[in-house]
Amino acid sequence: MNRNSVLIPEIYASNPQDGKILEYYKGYFEAVYIMLHPFYRGISMDLESINNDNWPTDQELREGCESVSWREVIKLTKFQNFSQIDIGLRTLFGALNKDVANENYALELERLFIDNRILYPDATGIISPFLSDAILKCLHKLNYTKLWQVDEFSYHPATLYNLEELLASQQTHHCNYTEDHKILFATHWDSQCTFLCSSKEIIEKILEIYPFEGFFCTPNTEVYWGLYDI
C-alpha cells in the first residue's frame, strides 16, 4: 500500500517492530510459531577467525559448520530456558536498553564459545542459513510454486520468485510470503528467530515435515519475547 508516496507494508508481508505478535497479525494470521535460529559449531571452518568484517556467506556456513540447538546450549551452559538465551543474544548485539539488558547472560554466550567452540547466530535480520532450505522445501511439499520476497520495511517493491529457483539459490529476504497470503516467514532485525505465520493447521503440517525448534506464540508473546511471559 502507498500512502503519501511512502510505501506501507501490508500486514501479511511484514513483521511487528515491537509489542504483542498475535495482536499485530490479528485478522490475517491465526497462529505464529517462533523458529529459533540455531547456533554454529565449526566442522571445517575456523570460527575464531570470523568477525563482522569477514562474516562467511550462508553457503560457507552450511558447508563448514553444523547447527546446534538452543536445547543443547542450555545443557552446556547455566541458562535455564530460551528466554535467558534470547536476552543474552539481544544484549550481545546491543538491542536492549541498559535497564533490561543482562551482561551475565551475554558473558555466558561468550563462555560457550571459549569452552565449546559454539558460536551464537548472527543478527542479519534474515532467516538462518540452517533453516532456509528446510522452510523452502516445506513450502514445496505443500504444493507452492512461487514466493514473494520483500525487505523488512518495504523500501522496495516485493519480488515474486519461482520456488525452484529459490531452492537452488537458497535466497531469502526479511519477509517471505506465499501468493495466496496464507503463509509468511519474517525475521525481525534485532531477533535471532523467525516468525512463521499462518493457520494453526498449516503450521502443524509444516512442523510435521520439519520439526523447527521453537514455540507457538500466546496472546502475551512480544517481539522482544525473552523479557516477558511467553
Side-chain angles (χ1 to χ4, degrees):
M1 183 182 296
N2 196 295
R3 297 176 185 165
N4 299 324
S5 299
V6 177
L7 199 62
I8 307 297
E10 301 287 0
I11 298 298
Y12 60 75
S14 64
N15 59 266
Q17 298 304 306
D18 205 347
K20 291 181 169 58
I21 298 172
L22 287 180
E23 184 176 302
Y24 178 83
Y25 288 118
K26 186 177 181 180
Y28 292 86
F29 296 114
E30 173 193 11
V32 178
Y33 186 82
I34 302 295
M35 301 164 58
L36 301 173
H37 293 184
F39 287 66
Y40 309 135
R41 179 187 284 118
I43 301 301
S44 60
M45 179 180 291
D46 179 13
L47 295 181
E48 289 192 75
S49 64
I50 293 178
N51 56 52
N52 289 333
D53 296 325
N54 69 343
W55 192 265
T57 65
D58 287 356
Q59 186 62 29
E60 289 171 339
L61 283 170
R62 282 190 289 265
E63 293 176 352
C65 301
E66 65 179 0
S67 64
V68 178
S69 71
W70 288 40
R71 287 184 177 84
E72 184 173 350
V73 168
I74 289 174
K75 292 178 181 178
L76 295 171
T77 62
K78 296 179 181 179
F79 291 119
Q80 297 180 341
N81 51 53
F82 291 162
S83 292
Q84 291 177 352
I85 297 176
D86 179 65
I87 293 171
L89 288 168
R90 296 182 194 274
T91 300
L92 269 178
F93 291 113
L96 296 177
N97 295 327
K98 290 184 178 180
D99 57 332
V100 292
N102 191 309
E103 295 298 335
N104 288 330
Y105 291 168
L107 287 173
E108 190 66 16
L109 291 171
E110 293 178 349
R111 281 194 292 268
L112 175 68
F113 180 73
I114 293 171
D115 296 341
N116 299 278
R117 290 298 183 265
I118 294 176
L119 186 64
Y120 41 79
D122 53 312
T124 60
I126 297 177
I127 190 170
S128 166
F130 288 102
L131 302 182
S132 56
D133 181 65
I135 189 63
L136 292 173
K137 285 180 177 176
C138 287
L139 295 179
H140 188 262
K141 287 188 176 182
L142 292 176
N143 297 316
Y144 284 99
T145 60
K146 296 181 183 295
L147 188 69
W148 285 99
Q149 294 188 347
V150 68
D151 61 88
E152 186 176 14
F153 302 106
S154 291
Y155 289 139
H156 305 285
T159 302
L160 183 63
Y161 292 94
N162 289 321
L163 193 55
E164 293 285 354
E165 177 185 353
L166 297 179
L167 281 165
S169 67
Q170 295 293 297
Q171 175 185 321
T172 55
H173 215 322
H174 300 95
C175 300
N176 311 261
Y177 57 100
T178 55
E179 283 189 289
D180 58 7
H181 304 162
K182 289 185 177 180
I183 303 175
L184 162 73
F185 62 94
T187 307
H188 177 257
W189 183 261
D190 284 338
S191 302
Q192 283 71 47
C193 62
T194 289
F195 305 151
L196 175 59
C197 313
S198 190
S199 67
K200 185 76 174 294
E201 180 183 5
I202 290 176
I203 293 177
E204 287 178 342
K205 286 181 179 178
I206 290 173
L207 294 176
E208 288 176 5
I209 298 170
Y210 189 93
F212 294 100
E213 183 179 37
F215 56 92
F216 278 100
C217 290
T218 72
N220 294 323
T221 309
E222 303 216 6
V223 172
Y224 292 84
W225 50 267
L227 299 173
Y228 309 95
D229 292 335
I230 57 174

